[in-house]
Amino acid sequence: MRANRAIADLFGRSPEDAVGHEIREFTHPDERDSSVNHLRQLATGEIDQYRMEKRYLRPDGRVVWAELSVSLVRDAEGNPVAAEWLEKLLGSRKAT
């Protein structure tokens, strides 16, 4: 994964520390199955995009919430080439 400063801050890491990790490593265990299912649906063409509120775990154990919006980018032949995603930090204000 590539990470800019905002995403790294969300995960409580430096951008350099986030590189080479998969997003599921930062995802709260209770959210992992749902995330995998949504990504599978994107890859198979069942859906074009999805939105969800999602929990992430920081290295200090703190849970942070974010609103996630994901869409799949396809090449001219319709093959998936990348996923574009946007996170909006909701913070730790939600009950966990």
Side-chain angles (χ1 to χ4, degrees):
M1 134 173 155
R2 295 184 313 197
N4 61 25
R5 169 56 49 196
I7 292 299
D9 287 346
L10 173 70
F11 298 143
R13 300 169 184 271
S14 69
E16 298 78 23
D17 188 36
V19 171
H21 292 275
E22 294 185 20
I23 194 71
R24 69 178 173 198
E25 295 176 54
F26 307 122
T27 300
H28 190 281
D30 293 345
E31 307 284 353
R32 289 181 186 148
D33 288 344
S34 177
S35 293
V36 168
N37 186 48
H38 280 106
L39 290 172
R40 180 193 56 74
Q41 289 177 309
L42 276 175
T44 61
E46 293 175 54
I47 59 175
D48 294 325
Q49 62 183 10
Y50 70 91
R51 281 196 144 122
M52 66 184 290
E53 289 186 357
K54 184 174 177 179
R55 291 172 287 178
Y56 294 99
L57 289 176
R58 295 178 131 213
D60 62 6
R62 197 173 107 210
V63 174
V64 293
W65 284 85
E67 182 177 297
L68 173 65
S69 178
V70 181
S71 57
L72 196 62
V73 178
R74 296 182 183 273
D75 64 16
E77 289 80 38
N79 300 309
V81 294
E84 292 182 334
W85 53 285
L86 174 66
E87 299 276 356
K88 177 182 175 185
L89 180 63
L90 300 176
S92 54
R93 62 178 165 73
K94 294 185 68 144
T96 57

